[in-house]
Amino acid sequence: MIAMASAAPTVFSTAPGSYTDDELVTGEAVALSVRPAGFLLRSLSGAIDLAASLVLLLILQIPLAVLGAHLDSAVRAALTIVALVLAVLVYPIVMEVATHGLSLGRLAAGVRIVRDDGGAAGIRHAFIRALAGIVEVYSTLGGLAVIVAVLNGRSKRVGDLLAGTFAQHERMPRLQPTMIALPPQLFGWAQVADVAALPDPLARRISAFLAHQAALSPVARAGLSSRLAREASGYVHPLPAVDDVTLLHAVSAVRRDREFRALAGEAQRLAALTPTLARRPNGFPER
C-alpha cells in the first residue's frame, strides 16, 4: 500500500453552471479552485499597511520639523503635501508593483492581490486601488471599505471593485497523507477484479470523496457514496456484493495498486534500457 496525499476539497458536480464564487474558469472551461481572503485577514493586512504608511509619513515629517524654522510657510506646506502623497499614494503603488501584489500587511497575513481572472495585478490596478484608498480608507476612516468588504462575497473593497482585483489567500493547509486500504473481505476479489475501464475523472471524484467523507453529514455521505457507486459499478467486473462505501474503497485501492505496479514495471524497463541508450555506437570516438 502507498499513502496518497489528500488534495484540496474537490467540487463533485461538474455540470455546466455549477461553478462557485471560489472558482476561476479558464478559457478552456477548466475551473480552478481559489481561496479569497476573508474579511478578518483583509482587515489585519489593511491595518498593518495603514500603520506602515503612517510611520513613513512621520519619518518624512522629521526633516520638516528640524528645518521648519528655516523654511518659508509656502515651502513647508508644499513639502508636507509631497510627504503625504509619498506615504499615502506612492508608497502603496511602488510596494504592490515591486512585490507583485504583496505589501507588509499582506505578507504577514498570507494574502496577495491578483486580478479577477487570477493573473498578476499591474501598475494600473495598484494605482486605482491606491487612489480609491484615499477616499474609502483615509477620508472615511476605513468605514466605507469595511461596509463594502462585508457585503461582498470576496471581501472586496471599493478599490478592488474599480480595479477588477481581489485578495487571494495563499497559505494553503498542509496536506495530510490518507491511506485508502483494501477491505479485508475483498482480498480474494481484488486478485481477479477488473477496474481498468474506470474513467480518470470518476476515479478522482471517488478518491476525493474517500478523503473527505469524514467531514460530510451522514445524509450527504450516503447520497454521494450511492451516486458514485452507481456510476462506478458499470466499470467494475465482477461486481462484489458489498455496501457503497466499501465498494468505493475497494475500487480505489485496486486501481491505485495496479497503477503503482504498472509505473514500477515501466521504471524497471526504462532502467534496463538506459545503458543501451547511453552507450556510444561501435567505433564512435571518445571525445
Side-chain angles (χ1 to χ4, degrees), residues 7-9 20-24 32-39 41-42 109-114 118 153-155 166-175:
T20 65
D21 291 337
D22 293 350
E23 292 180 320
L24 296 176
L32 304 178
S33 178
V34 297
R35 297 181 65 203
F39 174 74
L41 280 180
R42 294 222 62 181
V111 174
R112 182 187 297 272
I113 297 297
V114 297
R154 289 189 172 183
S155 298
F166 74 100
Q168 177 178 305
H169 189 196
E170 292 197 316
R171 291 179 182 170
M172 303 297 291
R174 179 175 297 180
L175 296 178

Side-chain angles (χ1 to χ4, degrees), residues 14 16 19 24-32 117:
T14 57
Y19 302 118
L24 296 176
V25 182
T26 66
E28 293 77 19
V30 178
L32 304 178
D117 61 358

Side-chain angles (χ1 to χ4, degrees), residues 36-40 42 145 148-157 160 166-167:
F39 174 74
L40 293 180
R42 294 222 62 181
V148 174
V150 169
L151 297 178
N152 187 272
R154 289 189 172 183
S155 298
K156 289 187 175 186
R157 60 180 182 86
D160 293 313
F166 74 100

Side-chain angles (χ1 to χ4, degrees), residues 181-201:
L182 178 67
Q185 67 271 30
L186 295 179
F187 282 163
W189 168 85
Q191 305 304 315
V192 297
D194 180 12
V195 296
L198 190 70
D200 290 340

